[in-house]
Amino acid sequence: IISQLPIPRQNHFDSHSSSNSLPLHRFTLDTNPQKTSHSRMKRGKCNASPSETPPPASELEIEKKFPIPNAAAAAKIEESLKTLGFHPVHNEEFVDWYFDLAAPNWYFSMKDCWIRYREKKIKMGGNWGWRGVWQVKQGWRMVDGDDLGREKDGMTSYREFQGKVAKEVIFEMLSKVDNLEGICTIESGKVKFTGDVYEGHDVPLLSGAERLVPFARFVTRRSSWESIDEKTSRFSGLKIDLDQTDFGYAVGEVEAVFQESSDEAIKERKETIRSLVDLLMEKTDDGAVTGSRASRNEYLHTTTIGKLEYFLINNRQDHFNALVEAGVLTY
């Protein structure tokens, strides 16, 4: 596990500035941060599956993750990206909060639907601060594809909503859940999460959706890469993110985003993503990433654990086990 992901110096974001050395302010877009507490609640029934066809105001996000086990691997992956015609476009730091109904009655995540509040670190004037937005990711599949937007090799497909549209989706989904009366809500008081990862932080509050409570919070430092020649490269339109979390886990991902596209075009893009991940693993195949060529080939047909999965394994084992049992995650 690496302690620091190498950050390209030419990027314009000052990655060396941190919340520990600069005065930070919350530039609020959607929420009035509050504190909350957990309690048990009854499971309701959802009358509309999050994987159903969503409204058109969304993006389809296809991605595949790959491992970054240590600093040496990170450096080799960056060199490989340069060789393949990619260059770093920006660095950023953000905080992700994930929400669901309270434990043990997780409702939306069990349907491969992820409600997230993302705060990005930005500079406005002379101050550093955090600007946040609500997001919803819904597992998506083609007519002849796998359920829940996840394939055996870890390729995922999600519809993503942001901002005002995401909040409307959240309200609509909550309205279709039965038996919400009497379950716990986010309180308006300053209730601390004693001994929890949220202690000392303001929990984002979406007015009208107080029954959503956080089950994960972590910080990510991201280095994003894109193809230098977007016109001729076979990898044009793909984005590569190299992520390092505040709990010491690092992972990479290759991503393509669609507004509207045919199933055939999506299938073709998935194969291009697989080809790029294969090349990255091949070019670093000296033991730094996956060990022997045999282990690399085995990796290409398995799933790399994402940041949220890693967090749940180490902090919310009961939630992770429930997701595996429901078939949402594989491990």
Side-chain angles (χ1 to χ4, degrees):
I1 304 301
I2 65 177
S3 59
Q4 182 178 1
L5 190 66
I7 304 297
R9 294 181 180 178
Q10 62 265 44
N11 285 2
H12 62 77
F13 186 87
D14 183 7
S15 61
H16 299 288
S17 299
S18 69
S19 58
N20 294 326
S21 60
L22 290 171
L24 293 180
H25 306 273
R26 186 190 294 266
F27 303 116
T28 304
L29 293 183
D30 303 302
T31 71
N32 178 22
Q34 301 287 348
K35 292 282 184 178
T36 183
S37 62
H38 287 287
S39 65
R40 293 186 176 270
M41 55 179 69
K42 297 181 180 179
R43 184 187 299 273
K45 295 181 179 180
C46 185
N47 297 320
S49 170
S51 61
E52 291 179 357
T53 302
S58 66
E59 294 179 335
L60 176 60
E61 178 185 283
I62 312 293
E63 70 175 39
K64 181 171 173 58
K65 301 183 187 302
F66 56 87
I68 309 178
N70 50 51
K76 287 181 177 294
I77 288 169
E78 289 186 337
E79 287 304 314
S80 297
L81 286 171
K82 294 174 184 177
T83 301
L84 292 169
F86 287 85
H87 68 130
V89 290
H90 70 273
N91 285 355
E92 60 183 348
E93 184 176 342
F94 52 86
V95 180
D96 283 335
W97 294 82
Y98 286 87
F99 291 79
D100 205 331
L101 302 185
N105 298 290
W106 311 285
Y107 183 81
F108 299 106
S109 57
M110 290 299 203
K111 299 179 180 296
D112 206 14
C113 179
W114 307 92
I115 298 173
R116 180 171 70 194
Y117 185 77
R118 173 165 288 181
E119 293 181 301
K120 290 190 176 183
K121 184 178 178 182
I122 64 171
K123 190 172 185 178
M124 294 185 67
N127 294 320
W128 285 91
W130 301 95
R131 172 169 286 174
V133 63
W134 287 94
Q135 300 174 334
V136 176
K137 296 182 68 170
Q138 296 178 336
W140 179 88
R141 63 184 176 91
M142 293 180 287
V143 175
D144 59 348
D146 293 337
D147 289 339
L148 299 175
R150 291 176 183 263
E151 301 182 30
K152 293 180 180 179
D153 66 348
M155 182 80 70
T156 60
S157 305
Y158 283 95
R159 282 288 182 187
E160 183 167 321
F161 307 85
Q162 295 199 57
K164 182 180 179 181
V165 175
K167 291 191 287 185
E168 292 172 352
V169 171
I170 292 171
F171 295 141
E172 181 182 2
M173 291 191 301
L174 281 171
S175 72
K176 297 180 182 297
V177 181
D178 296 334
N179 305 321
L180 282 178
E181 292 300 324
I183 65 176
C184 74
T185 63
I186 289 184
E187 300 172 358
S188 59
K190 296 288 186 178
V191 181
K192 288 182 177 291
F193 291 100
T194 303
D196 212 330
V197 294
Y198 321 117
E199 188 170 1
H201 302 285
D202 289 332
V203 178
L205 167 64
L206 178 57
S207 180
E210 289 82 1
R211 289 180 175 87
L212 295 176
V213 296
F215 63 85
R217 178 197 178 276
F218 51 85
V219 182
T220 298
R221 292 178 62 204
R222 168 170 289 177
S223 174
S224 295
W225 297 63
E226 293 179 357
S227 175
I228 294 175
D229 191 346
E230 285 295 311
K231 294 183 179 180
T232 61
S233 172
R234 61 179 292 209
F235 301 125
S236 63
L238 295 184
K239 177 186 173 187
I240 293 86
D241 292 327
L242 307 180
D243 290 350
Q244 166 72 50
T245 68
D246 60 342
F247 51 85
Y249 183 65
V251 66
E253 64 184 33
V254 180
E255 172 187 287
V257 176
F258 297 86
Q259 298 294 333
E260 296 291 339
S261 188
S262 65
D263 284 0
E264 193 60 36
I266 292 172
K267 288 181 180 179
E268 182 179 342
R269 209 57 174 157
K270 285 182 176 181
E271 290 310 309
T272 304
I273 290 174
R274 289 186 174 98
S275 297
L276 178 54
V277 172
D278 194 359
L279 283 172
L280 289 175
M281 296 299 96
E282 190 174 71
K283 286 180 175 294
T284 55
D285 190 19
D286 61 354
V289 176
T290 57
S292 67
R293 182 171 297 276
S295 64
R296 178 179 64 82
N297 290 335
E298 180 181 354
Y299 155 74
L300 291 173
H301 297 90
T302 59
T303 302
T304 299
I305 295 175
K307 301 187 296 292
L308 179 58
E309 291 99 311
Y310 193 93
F311 177 92
L312 293 174
I313 290 171
N314 289 277
N315 297 278
R316 299 287 183 269
Q317 187 72 55
D318 54 346
H319 195 167
F320 178 80
N321 290 341
L323 290 165
V324 172
E325 183 177 350
V328 176
L329 300 179
T330 57
Y331 184 61

